[in-house]
């Protein structure tokens, strides 16, 4: 019998499916009707027409005992990750009508593990944003308060989990796009180590930052998904070869807190919630140690210099000829210009302009080279800090979910990423875990606790994340 899907996790569904408590078909049906019920939140851009067919196949596999770890598990996928023969629009008009010619490596891996693809989730255009307000297909409404944003850019993925319309989701994180929406929607989100999950089949934003990662209801579920999607991939030249993986020792339960970063601009109750979680971790045997990250305050400016530069080069391929939208013009130059100005929204155009400026001969050294140097200094700060601690903790976001339309100037939006961009600058893995709620206008809004680990130490994040999870219950 199908119980209430609100209380099912991937780990539980695995046991239930294997124990024949319900079938993959029943689980899929329950999710499809829930998606229909929650349509107004706009988390999905498309629900696939073959979900029941996939469930039927999954049931056969489960019955034969040959099903993988995800056999029959319903999963949603961010609109910038390619699923063969399905549309992928990256939340942009520019990719109108585009269909993916192949599966992203992560999709292939989930397929092989038996996962069921429910549909494509809404996102900020080409993953630029922290609210999904930049989507060409309308904003996603936060499951906890529909007047508020779900965070971004993977806002559709985070909302799909919080609304119980999927058991797991794939998002992408370039500067916080998995962790910040996870925090604002009250779910778990992991940005894996750069190079540990293949980027093959991910529509690129900033190639030296982008990582695909899981969103889920629990840390256990995020771990299950990560174990399925990780691994070396010859199709991604930045994928880490297995022989370079270090031996991972036990975590020693030392958490560093960069106090100097926890000042201005952070809501008081968010900070209180953070201190409460730290106190709970002390209770479970962690040492909480103050640390210094002298260059971390420059993370946001460095990120917002390098990112437009990478965006402007990556998005040069969308010329109105090779993919998606095409606008006729008198000559090829006019066709490029018309297609690009009609296809791209304002934030994407802003970054292309900024990036082109930053990379131009006269400014390259002043901006790009300087920001890359700062990136190095920040990585060095983290490496030094990790000599004394195993994990570094901050809140995930300085505020809970903000109102739709509230942040009108780009800089105030960029500030939401203050705690998340460093993990992408350094390549280190980071996890956001729900740590409770704060109240705004009589609504309980979720808050996230953010942990960063040294390269390839996802196992430490999961271990500490489970302790955070246990302390909140
Ligand atoms: N909000 C950040 C930005 O707009 C992060 C985006 C992301 O991680 N994809 O760049």
């Amino acid at each position: 019998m199908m119980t209430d899907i609100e209380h099912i996790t991937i780990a539980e569904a695995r046991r239930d499916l294997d124990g024949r408590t319900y079938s993959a078909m029943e689980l899929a049906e329950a999710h499809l009707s829930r998606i229909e019920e929650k349509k107004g939140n706009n988390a999905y851009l498309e629900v696939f027409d073959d979900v029941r067919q996939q469930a039927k196949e999954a049931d056969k596999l489960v019955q034969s005992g040959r099903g993988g770890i995800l056999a029959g598990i319903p999963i949603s996928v961010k609109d910038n990750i390619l699923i063969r023969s399905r549309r992928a629009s990256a939340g942009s008009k520019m990719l109108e009508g585009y269909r993916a010619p192949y599966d992203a490596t992560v999709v292939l891996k989930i397929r092989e593990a038996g996962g069921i693809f429910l549909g494509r989730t809404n996102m900020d255009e080409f993953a630029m944003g922290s609210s999904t307000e930049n989507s060409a297909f309308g904003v996603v409404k936060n499951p906890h308060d529909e007047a508020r944003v779900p965070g971004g850019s993977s806002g559709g993925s985070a909302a799909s989990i919080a609304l119980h319309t999927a058991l797991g989701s794939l998002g992408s994180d370039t500067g916080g796009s998995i962790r910040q929406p996870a925090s604002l929607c009250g779910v778990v989100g992991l940005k894996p180590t750069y190079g540990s999950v293949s980027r093959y089949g991910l529509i690129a934003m900033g190639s030296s930052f982008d990582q695909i990662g899981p969103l889920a209801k629990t840390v256990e579920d995020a771990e299950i998904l990560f174990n399925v999607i990780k691994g070396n991939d010859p199709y991604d030249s930045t994928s880490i070869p297995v022989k370079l993986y270090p031996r991972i020792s036990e975590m020693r339960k030392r958490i560093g807190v960069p106090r100097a970063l926890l000042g201005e601009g952070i809501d008081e109750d968010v900070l209180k919630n953070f201190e409460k979680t730290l106190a709970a971790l002390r209770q479970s045997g962690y040492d909480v140690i103050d640390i210094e990250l002298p260059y971390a305050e420059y993370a946001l400016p460095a990120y917002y210099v390098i990112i437009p530069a990478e965006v402007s080069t990556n998005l040069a391929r969308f010329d109105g000829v090779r993919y998606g939208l095409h606008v006729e013009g008198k000559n090829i130059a006019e066709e490029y210009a018309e297609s690009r100005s009609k296809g791209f929204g304002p934030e994407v155009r802003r970054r292309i302009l900024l990036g082109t400026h930053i990379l131009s001969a006269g400014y390259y050294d002043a901006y790009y080279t300087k920001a890359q140097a700062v990136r190095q200094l920040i990585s060095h700060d983290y490496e030094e800090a990790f000599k004394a601690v195993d994990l570094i903790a901050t809140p995930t976001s300085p505020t809970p979910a903000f109102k739709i339309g509230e942040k009108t100037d780009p800089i105030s939006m960029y500030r939401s990423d203050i705690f998340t961009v460093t993990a992408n600058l350094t390549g280190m893995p980071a996890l956001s875990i729900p740590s409770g709620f704060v109240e705004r206008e009589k609504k309980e809004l979720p808050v996230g606790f953010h942990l960063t680990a040294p390269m390839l130490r996802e196992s430490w994040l999961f271990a500490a994340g489970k302790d955070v999870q246990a302390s909140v219950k």
Side-chain angles (χ1 to χ4, degrees):
M1 242 262 309
M2 184 74 243
T3 47
D4 184 3
I5 53 172
E6 293 200 16
H7 298 109
I8 298 177
T9 64
I10 294 177
E12 286 157 7
R14 177 75 280 126
R15 284 195 291 274
D16 293 348
L17 289 166
D18 290 342
R20 312 285 190 274
T21 311
Y22 45 78
S23 64
M25 186 62 85
E26 285 172 286
L27 188 61
E29 290 286 0
H31 279 87
L32 287 173
S33 33
R34 181 85 181 178
I35 291 174
E36 187 56 34
E37 203 182 302
K38 297 291 174 187
K39 230 163 136 178
N41 287 75
N42 205 21
Y44 281 88
L45 292 176
E46 178 187 359
V47 180
F48 297 143
D49 54 10
D50 67 345
V51 172
R52 290 181 183 86
Q53 187 57 37
Q54 294 181 61
K56 213 164 135 187
E57 301 290 323
D59 272 327
K60 274 193 225 148
L61 280 173
V62 173
Q63 273 152 24
S64 72
R66 283 181 294 111
I69 179 95
L70 296 180
I73 304 294
I75 287 166
S76 65
V77 179
K78 189 175 180 179
D79 190 33
N80 59 352
I81 299 173
L82 305 191
I83 304 178
R84 193 191 155 97
S85 81
R86 293 284 171 197
R87 285 190 306 210
S89 74
S92 180
K93 276 203 202 106
M94 188 48 126
L95 281 171
E96 217 168 64
Y98 174 74
R99 278 184 189 272
Y102 60 91
D103 273 335
T105 298
V106 290
V107 165
L108 206 62
K109 285 179 179 245
I110 287 190
R111 217 186 266 295
E112 278 164 5
I116 293 178
F117 298 105
L118 290 171
R120 296 185 284 134
T121 53
N122 203 349
M123 59 182 281
D124 283 300
E125 186 175 13
F126 285 102
M128 296 171 216
S130 312
S131 69
T132 75
E133 290 168 290
N134 297 335
S135 166
F137 308 105
V139 66
V140 177
K141 295 178 182 160
N142 189 302
H144 297 268
D145 177 356
E146 298 198 347
R148 290 174 190 270
V149 303
S153 64
S154 315
S157 284
S160 78
I161 302 296
L163 291 165
H164 306 286
T165 57
L167 290 185
S169 190
L170 291 182
S172 68
D173 192 311
T174 302
S177 278
I178 289 175
R179 293 159 287 150
Q180 186 258 14
S183 171
L184 271 46
C185 288
V187 304
V188 175
L190 170 75
K191 197 288 285 185
T193 302
Y194 185 78
S196 67
V197 174
S198 170
R199 290 182 294 113
Y200 182 68
L202 169 68
I203 298 174
M205 175 181 163
S207 305
S208 76
F209 297 77
D210 299 339
Q211 268 298 275
I212 295 173
L215 295 103
K217 293 182 195 175
T218 63
V219 175
E220 291 81 354
D221 284 3
E223 186 175 8
I224 293 171
L225 290 171
F226 172 67
N227 284 331
V228 171
I229 61 173
K230 73 177 182 189
N232 179 252
D233 181 10
Y235 289 129
D236 174 356
S237 61
T238 58
S239 164
I240 304 172
V242 178
K243 61 173 192 287
L244 294 184
Y245 273 66
R247 230 183 64 87
I248 310 290
S249 53
E250 280 285 300
M251 187 206 354
R252 289 166 61 192
K253 292 190 146 193
R254 298 165 306 176
I255 295 188
V257 180
R259 289 279 163 208
L261 298 181
L262 301 177
E264 227 187 308
I266 306 167
D267 287 0
E268 221 169 281
D269 47 5
V270 169
L271 215 45
K272 233 162 126 188
N273 173 281
F274 176 70
E275 294 297 345
K276 204 172 120 199
T277 311
L278 284 180
L281 285 171
R282 269 194 211 98
Q283 286 287 314
S284 14
Y286 286 80
D287 278 335
V288 178
I289 303 157
D290 286 357
I291 57 162
E292 277 174 36
L293 300 168
Y295 288 99
E297 63 174 302
Y298 304 109
L300 214 48
Y303 174 84
Y304 277 101
V305 167
I306 305 171
I307 265 299
E310 292 198 15
V311 160
S312 73
T313 53
N314 267 329
L315 271 59
R317 75 192 72 178
F318 303 105
D319 54 7
V321 178
R322 281 177 284 188
Y323 310 88
L325 184 89
H326 171 74
V327 182
E328 287 293 329
K330 284 199 284 297
N331 50 44
I332 189 73
E334 198 179 293
E335 291 196 354
Y336 287 162
E338 286 295 312
S339 303
R340 283 168 72 81
S341 38
K342 294 237 162 52
F344 291 137
E347 180 63 23
V348 172
R349 274 180 284 155
R350 179 178 5 257
R351 295 206 196 184
I352 291 173
L353 286 173
L354 261 174
T356 309
H357 177 73
I358 287 163
L359 291 177
S360 59
Y363 295 97
Y364 186 94
D365 281 339
Y367 296 118
Y368 187 75
T369 310
K370 195 55 145 271
Q372 289 291 15
V374 173
R375 187 178 192 178
Q376 283 303 316
L377 290 168
I378 292 171
S379 291
H380 183 252
D381 272 359
Y382 271 73
E383 277 153 21
E384 284 299 305
F386 280 132
K387 288 179 181 159
V389 297
D390 307 296
L391 300 167
I392 293 175
T394 60
T396 307
S397 171
T399 69
F402 44 91
K403 290 256 180 75
I404 294 171
E406 181 183 324
K407 296 201 193 281
T408 42
D409 81 296
I411 306 287
S412 75
M413 187 74 82
Y414 299 168
R415 282 192 210 281
S416 334
D417 308 329
I418 180 117
F419 296 123
T420 51
V421 295
T422 39
N424 305 79
L425 286 162
T426 63
M428 291 166 183
L431 182 72
S432 177
I433 314 111
S435 58
F437 295 86
V438 295
E439 201 189 291
R440 292 289 179 281
E441 297 172 344
K442 302 209 173 69
K443 296 237 161 78
E444 296 282 305
L445 302 178
V447 174
F449 186 78
H450 187 268
L451 288 169
T452 308
M455 297 298 256
L456 298 165
R457 266 66 172 184
E458 275 82 356
S459 58
W460 295 0
L461 292 177
F462 296 136
K466 285 171 197 168
D467 289 332
V468 172
Q469 205 168 265
S471 80
V472 178
K473 269 180 197 155

